Amino acid sequence: MPKVSIFTVLFFLIGLTQVCFANVSLSVNPVDGSNSLRFEKMPSAGAENKEEIHIRVSSTNGSRYQVFQRILEPIMNEKGDTLNLQAMETQTLSNSNSYGTLYLQNSDHLSMSDQLLYSSSQSGESDMFTIGYSLNQNLINTAGRFRGRLVFTVRGMGNASSDQVTIDVFLETSSSMKVSVKGAHHPSRIRIKGSDTSEKTADYVTLSFSGNEAQEIRIYQEVETMPQNETDQELGANVLQLDAEGQTEGLRIQGLSSLGTKRSLIYSSNKGEDNFVIYFLVNADQVQRQDAGIYTGKIKYVVETDHGKQEFPIGIQCHIPSVFSISVTPPPGGVSFTHVLAISPPQDKEVMVTVLSNLHKPYQVLQDLQTNMTNQQGKEFNSKYFTIQVVIPSGQKGQTNLTEFSPVQTGEYPVFSSDSMGSGATFTVVYRLQGYAQMSAGSFLAPVRFSLNQK
């Protein structure tokens, strides 16, 4: 067999040399009892694609020596494609030696250059140790039947003694599944603004895979750290929303969904390749109630098959802008009183006022009436019969002095005051108009303005 002849020739040549000056010799034996390093095409579920080699050094001169490894012949398939060396990892096994010092105890990849594995003690005793090799399926760049060759070398330190042993490497790979999870503008981060309420402006993550061999592929989303601001306050559960889009039946989320804290399945299928995107949006109503600030967190996408899983972390940065706004909703037709007669019952018109604030500072809502209501002839409507009341819903924070109907005053004055935390509020301003005897005829007008001021 080719391997047997290689070992025989090498040992024979080295043996002849040792008669003259060699004082160290090397023995290299795979743990599985074979004479080569072989990797399965596809290991069983949950098993590592890992092999080990025992290396023994015999020393007779009491001098120090070192053991190295390197790739002697590139690991190539039948098409001449070279294996990505990053895919084959190597590491010596801690405490597998007796005397000297083991190197390469942290995993590294194979190299065409010498890699120091072991250095003997000062007295150069004979010793043995174990080195392991494993395949990272995610880094295999091409498929096929690969063959290469490793060479192990022992060299005396300060003398010419040396020995070498070569060993064949065999591995067979299928089309390696490639998975990509990337942010649209930054590969590992998503940035969300308070104005990102539609897909037109929102940032998103693109997820794609190829080379799947008819096995079920499942993609999960997990929140590792819920977005928090500089005071460790978490983003509200419903502030961020997700919307998945793609021409695929594999999606397991449909329409808008809130960013939950639990692991959730977002995709599953047996397709060979597929792709989709996930948009990150803000809930327009909820974001205005969230404290202003920059919230940072982290999620991850976990891609699972029967042969293992891959994880892709994505950072989240959400900027919540300051909100301090007031909206006034008049009744249909506006605040208009028609057919006012002295003998008619009073008429009420309700105006809804909503204040949104995430500044945590107290505020007031002011009403400004510059003049009493007058008609075209300049006649005033008696303010005694034009009254105002403010109704705050039960459980609503804030207060008002206008709990009973009171004449509408001219000038600017507060109609509502917030609590000490400046909580948002919604309340109703009720205007009541009552006809009276001797009132002038005509259409009476008065502009009313609402404003929002911090205390």
Side-chain angles (χ1 to χ4, degrees), residues 137-407:
Q137 298 285 345
N138 300 325
L139 297 179
I140 293 177
N141 56 326
T142 185
R145 293 181 176 88
F146 289 83
R147 177 175 180 172
R149 185 171 291 179
L150 284 175
V151 60
F152 297 88
T153 304
V154 58
R155 299 190 186 104
M157 300 176 67
N159 59 69
S161 58
S162 66
D163 192 8
Q164 278 191 344
V165 175
T166 61
I167 188 168
D168 287 332
V169 179
F170 296 98
L171 63 107
E172 185 175 352
T173 68
S174 56
S175 297
S176 179
M177 187 173 72
K178 305 297 182 184
V179 181
S180 173
V181 179
K182 293 182 178 180
H185 304 106
H186 188 284
S188 59
R189 185 172 61 243
I190 291 295
R191 288 181 173 173
I192 306 152
K193 303 185 296 295
S195 58
D196 291 340
T197 57
S198 71
E199 287 82 356
K200 291 181 180 180
T201 59
D203 205 352
Y204 57 90
V205 171
T206 300
L207 299 94
S208 63
F209 66 88
S210 61
N212 182 38
E213 293 188 325
Q215 59 180 325
E216 184 182 16
I217 177 171
R218 301 170 297 278
I219 303 179
Y220 297 88
Q221 178 179 276
E222 296 181 18
V223 177
E224 289 194 312
T225 306
M226 197 66 180
Q228 299 177 335
N229 63 12
E230 58 275 9
T231 62
D232 296 330
Q233 180 187 0
E234 287 191 353
L235 200 63
N238 298 316
V239 174
L240 281 188
Q241 296 182 313
L242 310 178
D243 189 14
E245 289 190 3
Q247 300 298 317
T248 174
E249 66 280 5
L251 284 173
R252 296 295 173 259
I253 54 175
Q254 302 293 333
L256 287 174
S257 59
S258 297
L259 178 67
T261 58
K262 297 180 180 179
R263 171 183 168 107
S264 58
L265 179 67
I266 59 174
Y267 178 94
S268 66
S269 79
N270 293 84
K271 298 182 71 172
E273 60 181 57
D274 211 345
N275 66 86
F276 59 96
V277 299
I278 296 180
Y279 290 96
F280 287 76
L281 310 170
V282 294
N283 184 317
D285 293 330
Q286 295 294 327
V287 73
Q288 297 184 70
R289 294 172 170 83
Q290 184 71 41
D291 288 355
I294 296 177
Y295 293 74
T296 57
K298 183 181 291 186
I299 62 174
K300 68 178 177 181
Y301 293 95
V302 183
V303 182
E304 292 185 354
T305 67
D306 293 339
H307 299 293
K309 68 179 181 180
Q310 301 179 54
E311 297 184 351
F312 300 88
I314 297 289
I316 294 179
Q317 186 181 86
C318 183
H319 178 248
I320 304 297
S322 299
V323 176
F324 191 59
S325 64
I326 183 172
S327 63
V328 178
T329 306
V335 183
S336 176
F337 301 94
T338 58
H339 306 293
V340 179
L341 301 175
I343 59 174
S344 298
Q347 299 183 35
D348 290 349
K349 297 294 180 178
E350 296 183 353
V351 174
M352 182 170 290
V353 179
T354 299
V355 177
L356 297 175
S357 176
N358 59 9
L359 303 180
H360 293 303
K361 295 180 179 180
Y363 61 84
Q364 288 184 324
V365 176
L366 306 179
Q367 175 182 274
D368 184 13
L369 179 67
Q370 292 299 315
T371 62
N372 286 326
M373 288 193 295
T374 58
N375 63 10
Q376 294 91 329
Q377 288 76 37
K379 301 290 185 180
E380 290 189 356
F381 192 89
N382 191 336
S383 60
K384 177 181 177 181
Y385 299 96
F386 181 40
T387 58
I388 181 175
Q389 180 188 35
V390 174
V391 179
I392 301 175
S394 176
Q396 176 79 66
K397 297 178 179 179
Q399 60 185 359
T400 181
N401 294 325
L402 301 172
T403 56
E404 303 291 340
F405 280 102
S406 305

Side-chain angles (χ1 to χ4, degrees), residues 24-26 54-59 63-69 91-105 114-131 152-157:
V24 289
S25 62
L26 198 60
H54 284 322
I55 298 177
R56 182 187 296 273
V57 182
S58 296
S59 174
S63 298
R64 294 189 65 193
Y65 59 85
Q66 291 181 321
V67 180
F68 303 85
Q69 76 170 0
Q91 181 178 6
T92 57
L93 273 63
S94 179
N95 299 321
S96 61
N97 60 313
S98 298
Y99 299 107
T101 301
L102 278 179
Y103 294 85
L104 205 71
Q105 293 193 56
D114 278 338
Q115 293 175 299
L116 177 62
L117 306 180
Y118 173 89
S119 183
S120 73
S121 64
Q122 291 292 336
S123 52
E125 296 99 338
S126 298
D127 205 352
M128 65 179 297
F129 61 91
T130 303
I131 183 168
F152 297 88
T153 304
V154 58
R155 299 190 186 104
M157 300 176 67

